[in-house]
Amino acid sequence: MAVFEFKKFSVDDSSCGMKICSDSVLLAAWFFPNHSEAQSIVDVGAGSGVLALLGAECCPDAAVVGLELDSGAASAAESNFKSSPWADRMQLVEGDFALWNPSAPVDLIISNPPYFTEGAHSADSARAAARHQDGLSYTSLLRFGASRLSKAGALGLVSPAEFENDIVFEAEMAGLKLRRILRVRTSPRKPVTRLLFEFSRPDGPVDDSTLALRNPDGYLTAEYRALVEPFYKKI
């Protein structure tokens, strides 16, 4: 059994194609605190449910829905939701996210979508489905967000650095504006490897910043610690 312990909840991801990764935790830590008064959150491609759980922790009044197609991951997420301190306001919906429609516009949508668009699929079918853009693509996610977000709602996602132009273009085509972007590099002298995005309907200035995870000496930077330390039991 693979159980990951956070400060306020635990996640069993043993039946999920993709395991908990630092990308998801960093995305949640960067995205949710700016929207702590949100009333509704949707985690698209929920996997083990870690993004949804971090959303429930950061947004104490939000009803949280996790959408997951894979039955093994959906079962794990549902179990993780039920064992969390926020079970009474968390729901797992198994099925194609594109077919899900909320009863009211959603305040926050978040996703750590698959990021391999080419190349051989993994021998593990669940892992392959979780890693390849066969169903949950950036384009489909952005269109989903544009049709379901509230007027002041926000969509957060993470991607490899090389997808920046394509994602911003697809967001514009869907009617969403880039409002924040965090460029993540492993150390100050390394190239940017990951991007965290925040999109919304209203246009305005873009907050464009960079984060190094480690100092040149190999130790975690103070900036990175400040973001994720509230959630990790150990870092």
Side-chain angles (χ1 to χ4, degrees), residues 180-191:
R180 289 202 296 155
I181 183 169
L182 182 66
R183 304 176 188 277
V184 182
R185 59 181 85 226
T186 54
S187 66
R189 297 179 182 177
K190 296 291 186 180

Side-chain angles (χ1 to χ4, degrees), residues 177-179 200-207:
K177 305 296 184 180
L178 179 63
R179 299 307 306 273
S200 68
R201 296 185 194 281
D203 202 354
V206 177
D207 180 346

Side-chain angles (χ1 to χ4, degrees), residues 3-234:
V3 178
F4 194 97
E5 298 287 342
F6 289 88
K7 285 184 178 178
K8 295 187 178 180
F9 63 93
S10 61
V11 174
D12 180 356
D13 64 2
S14 57
S15 59
C16 300
M18 286 301 295
K19 306 307 179 184
I20 291 173
C21 69
S22 58
D23 284 354
S24 288
V25 180
L26 180 57
L27 174 62
W30 175 78
F31 180 73
F32 285 126
N34 275 22
H35 306 283
S36 59
E37 296 180 359
Q39 300 296 301
S40 55
I41 297 171
V42 175
D43 175 8
V44 181
S48 62
V50 64
L51 281 172
L53 287 159
L54 288 165
E57 179 177 345
C58 294
C59 305
D61 297 323
V64 184
V65 176
L67 306 179
E68 176 54 54
L69 181 62
D70 179 77
S71 59
S75 178
E78 186 169 34
S79 177
N80 291 328
F81 290 177
K82 288 180 178 178
S83 64
S84 78
W86 315 287
D88 61 339
R89 53 189 177 91
M90 302 194 73
Q91 177 189 7
L92 190 286
V93 177
E94 182 179 343
D96 184 348
F97 79 97
L99 302 179
W100 180 83
N101 288 292
S103 57
V106 177
D107 290 335
L108 301 178
I109 295 175
I110 194 167
S111 183
N112 180 1
Y115 53 84
F116 289 160
T117 56
E118 298 176 354
H121 281 51
S122 163
D124 183 313
S125 60
R127 184 175 177 82
R131 294 291 287 273
H132 284 261
Q133 294 190 25
D134 294 338
L136 174 50
S137 68
Y138 293 109
T139 300
S140 62
L141 174 61
L142 290 162
R143 290 176 179 173
F144 174 88
S147 65
R148 292 162 177 82
L149 278 176
S150 61
K151 290 182 179 180
L155 183 153
L157 63 87
V158 58
S159 87
E162 61 265 28
F163 294 168
E164 178 179 357
N165 291 338
D166 290 341
I167 289 175
V168 173
F169 174 78
E170 292 294 343
E172 287 280 350
M173 294 298 292
L176 295 176
K177 305 296 184 180
L178 179 63
R179 299 307 306 273
R180 289 202 296 155
I181 183 169
L182 182 66
R183 304 176 188 277
V184 182
R185 59 181 85 226
T186 54
S187 66
R189 297 179 182 177
K190 296 291 186 180
V192 172
T193 58
R194 289 286 183 271
L195 300 172
L196 307 187
F197 297 92
E198 180 175 316
F199 295 99
S200 68
R201 296 185 194 281
D203 202 354
V206 177
D207 180 346
D208 189 331
S209 55
T210 302
L211 173 71
L213 303 183
R214 295 184 180 274
N215 293 308
D217 60 11
Y219 289 98
L220 297 177
T221 63
E223 294 80 8
Y224 178 53
R225 281 186 173 277
L227 276 173
V228 301
E229 209 161 30
F231 309 104
Y232 281 125
K233 182 171 283 189
K234 294 181 180 180

